[in-house]
Amino acid sequence: MERFIIKLKSKLSYIIRRKYLFTFLAMLIYICFFSQYTIFERVKELSNRKKLTIQKEYYTEKIQEDSLKLNDLKTNNKNLVKFAREQYQMKADNEDIFIIREK
């Protein structure tokens, strides 16, 4: 009888230990694949975050460049005239403008 009780205790402890392992594995599988924040969603969010940081860097550089150009246009009248002629095809009263477009 005593051996039977010892065997039963060892089997129960083995089953209990395995029960916790199976519960842990089931929860891990649920969290990784079936919950709201799956691994796939996490990977998508990380790649989206990288793209957004690259875009942020690009636009901050563009803002700096444009602010330098704007400052240059505000301070130097020659550059303002040059910019107006190149970008908006403006001309003086005694000039003619010929626009050549390549096909």
Side-chain angles (χ1 to χ4, degrees):
M1 183 76 173
E2 199 172 299
R3 282 187 170 174
F4 177 72
I5 293 174
I6 293 173
K7 269 187 171 180
L8 185 63
K9 282 185 180 179
S10 68
K11 286 190 179 203
L12 282 176
S13 67
Y14 179 77
I15 291 172
I16 289 173
R17 278 188 269 144
R18 292 293 182 197
K19 180 173 70 171
Y20 290 126
L21 177 68
F22 290 135
T23 305
F24 175 74
L25 289 176
M27 289 302 295
L28 185 67
I29 290 171
Y30 173 76
I31 290 171
C32 290
F33 298 107
F34 302 113
S35 70
Q36 182 180 1
Y37 304 106
T38 63
I39 291 176
F40 308 113
E41 293 294 323
R42 180 79 173 144
V43 169
K44 282 183 200 176
E45 291 297 323
L46 287 175
S47 66
N48 191 21
R49 186 177 184 179
K50 287 179 185 178
K51 289 177 187 176
L52 290 174
T53 54
I54 291 171
Q55 283 182 353
K56 180 184 174 187
E57 291 172 2
Y58 169 76
Y59 285 122
T60 53
E61 288 175 8
K62 286 295 281 182
I63 288 171
Q64 288 175 351
E65 289 174 9
D66 290 343
S67 63
L68 287 175
K69 285 180 185 178
L70 181 64
N71 187 27
D72 193 33
L73 290 175
K74 285 182 178 179
T75 56
N76 194 349
N77 200 18
K78 258 186 180 179
N79 287 340
L80 182 62
V81 171
K82 180 181 175 187
F83 179 78
R85 286 175 184 261
E86 289 176 357
Q87 296 298 319
Y88 297 108
Q89 287 89 30
M90 293 185 170
K91 65 180 184 84
D93 290 334
N94 59 357
E95 292 179 334
D96 291 328
I97 293 180
F98 298 100
I99 299 174
I100 301 171
R101 295 187 182 166
E102 295 181 17
K103 288 187 180 183

